[in-house]
Amino acid sequence: AIYAVGSLHAQTSTFRSNTTAGAGGAILATSTLTVSQCTFNKNTAAGAAGGGAIAHTSTATLTINNSTIYDNTATNSSLTTSGGGFVQSGSGPLALSSSIIAGNKLTAGTSALGRDVASTGGITVAGNNCLIGTNDNSGITLTGTPTLTGPGTGGTGTATGTFTTSGSNLGIASGIVLS
């Protein structure tokens, strides 16, 4: 749907049923990307890098605020940083706030990581509520230095690597891998 080489701010939009042979079923961004009050549903990326809804390949910031990324698919994912919901493959920071990222899929290919989220940059999760993952063995893979901020903490799964929490209503319904 969108290939953004400059800064992009998507606001109050619905991205549904978009398909690409490459990365980022709805959005492929190579610069700063801000997503606010958006819904991503039933998007598909068939490239090795994944990102069923969003692929961000930049050292610039990816911000997702008050949005839902649900039921997107990355097919033929062969990289360990593939994400069914979205992939942040650049080293830029990722900021999640008050968003739901769940029920996304990786199908075919060889990647087993990041069914909902895959990020290689630093991540900050803040705001009132963030839900990542579902109860069907989905999860989140982060290789940066995550920081959770906000009131209250919660979640299940395992954590390895650098992980700092100072409180957030973050529900992780299955595994979280930090390395």
Side-chain angles (χ1 to χ4, degrees):
I2 298 174
Y3 175 50
V5 293
S7 295
L8 174 66
H9 186 174
Q11 186 169 359
T12 58
S13 299
T14 297
F15 297 86
R16 181 173 290 125
S17 299
N18 297 288
T19 303
T20 182
I27 298 175
L28 171 58
T30 61
S31 189
T32 300
L33 174 60
T34 302
V35 174
S36 300
Q37 301 173 348
C38 290
T39 299
F40 293 82
N41 180 252
K42 298 191 180 301
N43 299 289
T44 302
I54 299 170
H56 186 252
T57 61
S58 175
T59 57
T61 301
L62 168 59
T63 302
I64 299 175
N65 179 45
N66 196 26
S67 295
T68 300
I69 300 174
Y70 179 78
D71 195 22
N72 299 282
T73 305
T75 63
N76 200 33
S77 299
S78 60
L79 303 177
T80 58
T81 58
S82 297
F86 73 86
V87 61
Q88 162 80 346
S89 61
S91 60
L94 166 62
L96 295 175
S97 177
S98 301
S99 295
I100 298 171
I101 304 162
N104 299 289
K105 299 175 266 320
L106 290 174
T107 62
T110 57
S111 178
L113 300 175
R115 182 178 293 181
D116 288 304
V117 176
S119 176
T120 57
I123 180 172
T124 299
V125 179
N128 294 330
N129 295 288
C130 284
L131 171 66
I132 301 173
T134 60
N135 291 320
D136 64 352
N137 197 31
S138 63
I140 178 171
T141 300
L142 309 170
T143 56
T145 304
T147 303
L148 307 179
T149 60
T153 61
T156 61
T158 58
T160 58
T162 304
F163 184 72
T164 304
T165 180
S166 59
S168 177
N169 287 334
L170 171 66
I172 300 172
S174 64
I176 181 169
V177 178
L178 311 172
S179 59

